[in-house]
Amino acid sequence: QVQLQESGPGLVKPSQTLSLTCTVSGGSITTSYYYWSWIRQPPGKGLEWMGTITYDGYINYNPSLKSPTSISRDTSKNQFSLQLTSVTPEDTAVYYCARVVYHSGGSIDYWGKGTLVTVSS
């Protein structure tokens, strides 16, 4: 059973950096053919895909995101991370990490429970 756990600060000030880490157990982030994604849900809004890092380290981002976004991974720790710089209150959301199945057209088979991050002064 694959498990994903988000971690990081729950409060970030505007203009600063939002940083989250997803720790994966029960499966390797380097296993073919899985992608690892960050998804968020602002209050009262729908789910928004933020970006993905593949099993072999290729990264894609949602170009609609207003805050600069980066995704990285640490294979030795079986973790991948999200960073948003220059955040605004519009970045307040529940943030999820998830595993994406390449061969099923990008469907998600495992989610983390999510973590609320509030951007506020």
Side-chain angles (χ1 to χ4, degrees), residues 51-64:
T52 293
I53 186 164
T54 71
Y55 63 96
D56 52 351
Y58 290 93
I59 300 169
N60 286 291
Y61 303 107
N62 182 349
S64 298

Side-chain angles (χ1 to χ4, degrees), residues 5-105:
Q5 177 66 60
E6 303 90 349
S7 61
L11 179 64
V12 182
K13 294 182 178 180
S15 80
Q16 295 188 344
T17 298
L18 184 159
S19 183
L20 295 172
T21 297
C22 183
T23 300
V24 179
S25 61
S28 173
I29 62 172
T30 64
T31 296
S32 305
Y33 294 93
Y34 296 109
Y35 298 173
W36 304 90
S37 293
W38 287 100
I39 301 156
R40 69 181 180 183
Q41 186 170 33
K45 305 291 185 178
L47 296 170
E48 180 181 37
W49 172 72
M50 302 187 69
T52 293
I53 186 164
T54 71
Y55 63 96
D56 52 351
Y58 290 93
I59 300 169
N60 286 291
Y61 303 107
N62 182 349
S64 298
L65 298 175
K66 296 180 179 179
S67 299
T69 306
S70 64
I71 293 173
S72 60
R73 67 177 182 171
D74 185 339
T75 58
S76 69
K77 297 181 179 180
N78 212 36
Q79 296 176 330
F80 65 104
S81 299
L82 170 74
Q83 289 190 331
L84 272 66
T85 59
S86 303
V87 297
T88 73
E90 292 184 351
D91 293 309
T92 295
V94 176
Y95 286 77
Y96 300 91
C97 54
R99 190 174 80 165
V100 179
V101 184
Y102 171 82
H103 288 109
S104 62

